[in-house]
Amino acid sequence: MPQLVRLYIRQCLSGFGIAAFFVAGLLYLDVAHLGHLVQTSPLGWVAAAMLWVFHGALFGAVQFAITILGMAEDDSE
């Protein structure tokens, strides 16, 4: 597998890990009463899963972008 693909997968997995902590914090701290809605609704798990998936995609893309931009060579020399 090419190194860039491995890097992308690794960064996406770390983004989903960060998203899991983020969503757990959102639900635990009951931000905008999301925790209450997830706990009392019969389909609250769907909302929690959607929060995790969408934030995971976002944080994974940000992790990948930060890594790629950090690999830039300095041309000022």
Side-chain angles (χ1 to χ4, degrees), residues 40-53:
T40 57
S41 174
L43 291 177
W45 65 272
V46 174
M50 288 177 65
L51 278 170
W52 178 64
V53 168

PDB file of all heavy atoms in Angstrom, residues 40-53:
ATOM      1  N   THR A  40     -33.080  10.474  26.297  1.00  0.00           N
ATOM      2  CA  THR A  40     -34.530  10.310  26.419  1.00  0.00           C
ATOM      3  C   THR A  40     -35.211   9.900  25.117  1.00  0.00           C
ATOM      4  O   THR A  40     -36.320   9.380  25.146  1.00  0.00           O
ATOM      5  CB  THR A  40     -35.185  11.602  26.933  1.00  0.00           C
ATOM      6  OG1 THR A  40     -34.860  12.681  26.051  1.00  0.00           O
ATOM      7  CG2 THR A  40     -34.699  11.926  28.335  1.00  0.00           C
ATOM      8  N   SER A  41     -34.584  10.113  23.996  1.00  0.00           N
ATOM      9  CA  SER A  41     -35.195   9.754  22.723  1.00  0.00           C
ATOM     10  C   SER A  41     -34.962   8.273  22.415  1.00  0.00           C
ATOM     11  O   SER A  41     -33.883   7.742  22.683  1.00  0.00           O
ATOM     12  CB  SER A  41     -34.583  10.603  21.603  1.00  0.00           C
ATOM     13  OG  SER A  41     -35.052  10.175  20.348  1.00  0.00           O
ATOM     14  N   PRO A  42     -35.955   7.607  21.843  1.00  0.00           N
ATOM     15  CA  PRO A  42     -35.749   6.191  21.493  1.00  0.00           C
ATOM     16  C   PRO A  42     -34.713   6.003  20.378  1.00  0.00           C
ATOM     17  O   PRO A  42     -34.100   4.951  20.274  1.00  0.00           O
ATOM     18  CB  PRO A  42     -37.126   5.706  21.049  1.00  0.00           C
ATOM     19  CG  PRO A  42     -37.964   6.913  20.882  1.00  0.00           C
ATOM     20  CD  PRO A  42     -37.325   8.037  21.617  1.00  0.00           C
ATOM     21  N   LEU A  43     -34.524   6.998  19.558  1.00  0.00           N
ATOM     22  CA  LEU A  43     -33.508   6.926  18.507  1.00  0.00           C
ATOM     23  C   LEU A  43     -32.327   7.851  18.806  1.00  0.00           C
ATOM     24  O   LEU A  43     -31.669   8.340  17.888  1.00  0.00           O
ATOM     25  CB  LEU A  43     -34.125   7.289  17.149  1.00  0.00           C
ATOM     26  CG  LEU A  43     -35.118   6.274  16.592  1.00  0.00           C
ATOM     27  CD1 LEU A  43     -35.720   6.770  15.291  1.00  0.00           C
ATOM     28  CD2 LEU A  43     -34.444   4.939  16.383  1.00  0.00           C
ATOM     29  N   GLY A  44     -32.054   8.055  20.070  1.00  0.00           N
ATOM     30  CA  GLY A  44     -30.947   8.921  20.452  1.00  0.00           C
ATOM     31  C   GLY A  44     -29.596   8.379  20.031  1.00  0.00           C
ATOM     32  O   GLY A  44     -28.678   9.132  19.730  1.00  0.00           O
ATOM     33  N   TRP A  45     -29.485   7.055  19.965  1.00  0.00           N
ATOM     34  CA  TRP A  45     -28.219   6.461  19.551  1.00  0.00           C
ATOM     35  C   TRP A  45     -27.894   6.812  18.097  1.00  0.00           C
ATOM     36  O   TRP A  45     -26.719   6.910  17.729  1.00  0.00           O
ATOM     37  CB  TRP A  45     -28.235   4.947  19.755  1.00  0.00           C
ATOM     38  CG  TRP A  45     -29.233   4.232  18.889  1.00  0.00           C
ATOM     39  CD1 TRP A  45     -30.538   3.984  19.161  1.00  0.00           C
ATOM     40  CD2 TRP A  45     -28.985   3.701  17.587  1.00  0.00           C
ATOM     41  NE1 TRP A  45     -31.126   3.326  18.116  1.00  0.00           N
ATOM     42  CE2 TRP A  45     -30.193   3.139  17.128  1.00  0.00           C
ATOM     43  CE3 TRP A  45     -27.866   3.637  16.765  1.00  0.00           C
ATOM     44  CZ2 TRP A  45     -30.306   2.526  15.901  1.00  0.00           C
ATOM     45  CZ3 TRP A  45     -27.978   3.026  15.530  1.00  0.00           C
ATOM     46  CH2 TRP A  45     -29.191   2.478  15.107  1.00  0.00           C
ATOM     47  N   VAL A  46     -28.918   7.025  17.279  1.00  0.00           N
ATOM     48  CA  VAL A  46     -28.689   7.421  15.884  1.00  0.00           C
ATOM     49  C   VAL A  46     -28.076   8.821  15.850  1.00  0.00           C
ATOM     50  O   VAL A  46     -27.138   9.082  15.091  1.00  0.00           O
ATOM     51  CB  VAL A  46     -29.994   7.377  15.065  1.00  0.00           C
ATOM     52  CG1 VAL A  46     -29.783   7.917  13.663  1.00  0.00           C
ATOM     53  CG2 VAL A  46     -30.547   5.966  15.012  1.00  0.00           C
ATOM     54  N   ALA A  47     -28.589   9.709  16.675  1.00  0.00           N
ATOM     55  CA  ALA A  47     -28.039  11.066  16.742  1.00  0.00           C
ATOM     56  C   ALA A  47     -26.597  11.043  17.230  1.00  0.00           C
ATOM     57  O   ALA A  47     -25.741  11.747  16.680  1.00  0.00           O
ATOM     58  CB  ALA A  47     -28.892  11.935  17.665  1.00  0.00           C
ATOM     59  N   ALA A  48     -26.310  10.225  18.244  1.00  0.00           N
ATOM     60  CA  ALA A  48     -24.942  10.129  18.754  1.00  0.00           C
ATOM     61  C   ALA A  48     -24.018   9.536  17.695  1.00  0.00           C
ATOM     62  O   ALA A  48     -22.881  10.000  17.520  1.00  0.00           O
ATOM     63  CB  ALA A  48     -24.920   9.284  20.024  1.00  0.00           C
ATOM     64  N   ALA A  49     -24.489   8.536  16.967  1.00  0.00           N
ATOM     65  CA  ALA A  49     -23.676   7.938  15.906  1.00  0.00           C
ATOM     66  C   ALA A  49     -23.412   8.934  14.783  1.00  0.00           C
ATOM     67  O   ALA A  49     -22.298   9.009  14.252  1.00  0.00           O
ATOM     68  CB  ALA A  49     -24.358   6.694  15.359  1.00  0.00           C
ATOM     69  N   MET A  50     -24.427   9.709  14.424  1.00  0.00           N
ATOM     70  CA  MET A  50     -24.239  10.715  13.376  1.00  0.00           C
ATOM     71  C   MET A  50     -23.266  11.800  13.819  1.00  0.00           C
ATOM     72  O   MET A  50     -22.425  12.244  13.029  1.00  0.00           O
ATOM     73  CB  MET A  50     -25.591  11.324  12.985  1.00  0.00           C
ATOM     74  CG  MET A  50     -26.470  10.388  12.208  1.00  0.00           C
ATOM     75  SD  MET A  50     -28.085  11.083  11.839  1.00  0.00           S
ATOM     76  CE  MET A  50     -27.654  12.433  10.780  1.00  0.00           C
ATOM     77  N   LEU A  51     -23.383  12.228  15.077  1.00  0.00           N
ATOM     78  CA  LEU A  51     -22.421  13.203  15.596  1.00  0.00           C
ATOM     79  C   LEU A  51     -21.007  12.662  15.506  1.00  0.00           C
ATOM     80  O   LEU A  51     -20.081  13.357  15.088  1.00  0.00           O
ATOM     81  CB  LEU A  51     -22.747  13.548  17.050  1.00  0.00           C
ATOM     82  CG  LEU A  51     -23.813  14.582  17.314  1.00  0.00           C
ATOM     83  CD1 LEU A  51     -24.168  14.602  18.801  1.00  0.00           C
ATOM     84  CD2 LEU A  51     -23.337  15.952  16.879  1.00  0.00           C
ATOM     85  N   TRP A  52     -20.809  11.402  15.895  1.00  0.00           N
ATOM     86  CA  TRP A  52     -19.482  10.805  15.884  1.00  0.00           C
ATOM     87  C   TRP A  52     -18.936  10.657  14.458  1.00  0.00           C
ATOM     88  O   TRP A  52     -17.788  11.013  14.190  1.00  0.00           O
ATOM     89  CB  TRP A  52     -19.517   9.450  16.580  1.00  0.00           C
ATOM     90  CG  TRP A  52     -18.184   8.764  16.555  1.00  0.00           C
ATOM     91  CD1 TRP A  52     -17.036   9.189  17.156  1.00  0.00           C
ATOM     92  CD2 TRP A  52     -17.869   7.560  15.870  1.00  0.00           C
ATOM     93  NE1 TRP A  52     -16.026   8.297  16.891  1.00  0.00           N
ATOM     94  CE2 TRP A  52     -16.519   7.286  16.109  1.00  0.00           C
ATOM     95  CE3 TRP A  52     -18.610   6.679  15.094  1.00  0.00           C
ATOM     96  CZ2 TRP A  52     -15.886   6.160  15.583  1.00  0.00           C
ATOM     97  CZ3 TRP A  52     -17.972   5.562  14.586  1.00  0.00           C
ATOM     98  CH2 TRP A  52     -16.636   5.320  14.828  1.00  0.00           C
ATOM     99  N   VAL A  53     -19.764  10.181  13.535  1.00  0.00           N
ATOM    100  CA  VAL A  53     -19.310   9.969  12.154  1.00  0.00           C
ATOM    101  C   VAL A  53     -18.960  11.295  11.479  1.00  0.00           C
ATOM    102  O   VAL A  53     -17.902  11.425  10.856  1.00  0.00           O
ATOM    103  CB  VAL A  53     -20.370   9.197  11.339  1.00  0.00           C
ATOM    104  CG1 VAL A  53     -20.065   9.233   9.854  1.00  0.00           C
ATOM    105  CG2 VAL A  53     -20.464   7.766  11.825  1.00  0.00           C
TER     106      VAL A  53
END
